[in-house]
Amino acid sequence: MTATDPALTALAQGWCALSLLHGRIEAHIERALQAGHDLSVREYSLLDVLSRQHDDEGGHLQMKQVADAVVLSQSATTRLVTRLEDRGLLERYLCPTDRRGIYTNVTEAGLQLLDEARPTNDGALREALDEAAKNPELAPLVRVVESLKAPAAA
């Protein structure tokens, strides 16, 4: 295959379209969350991920798992956790069975903000997808996103 191979060119164009769709959606949601709730997309995602953990065996996420879930490096995730902790939206505490482990939980204030922000996030997502569906290059990707089912809980 060469750099001018039509299959590679099509693949690159598909990747560019996917990247464009992601960027537009994220920017639209970011503006809505910032305006309505003083939250970034990453902050919202972190609150959402951490709100889904539970206290049962294996219910708390390790920082690497959280970082993977919010698509950030571990150091960036730690900084994000610290910012939200400073705002009173998260709290950290030592693992009761392994004093080296630190858990991060969403506070009541964090859960309340998340509940308030969820309709904004969902509405902005719907708006961004509807707008992107008007673009012939993005419309097929929008249909794929809309057809995806939520993964089953592990």
Side-chain angles (χ1 to χ4, degrees), residues 47-126:
L47 289 172
D48 184 54
V49 165
L50 291 175
S51 74
R52 296 173 193 275
Q53 67 184 356
H54 53 84
D55 289 326
D56 300 333
E57 180 81 23
H60 281 83
L61 301 174
Q62 297 173 352
M63 196 55 91
K64 181 181 180 345
Q65 294 170 303
V66 174
D68 289 346
V70 295
V71 194
L72 290 173
S73 68
Q74 283 186 263
S75 61
T77 301
T78 299
R79 289 189 302 273
L80 184 58
V81 165
T82 300
R83 278 198 315 271
L84 291 177
E85 186 179 35
D86 290 346
R87 290 177 59 187
L89 303 174
L90 296 178
E91 61 188 1
R92 289 185 245 202
Y93 65 93
L94 290 176
C95 171
T97 58
D98 179 359
R99 304 292 286 174
R100 295 169 298 171
I102 298 175
Y103 288 157
T104 304
N105 275 338
V106 182
T107 63
E108 286 302 316
L111 290 172
Q112 181 177 343
L113 182 58
L114 181 61
D115 285 345
E116 293 168 3
R118 194 176 308 281
T120 302
N121 180 79
D122 295 349
L125 173 59
R126 179 74 268 155

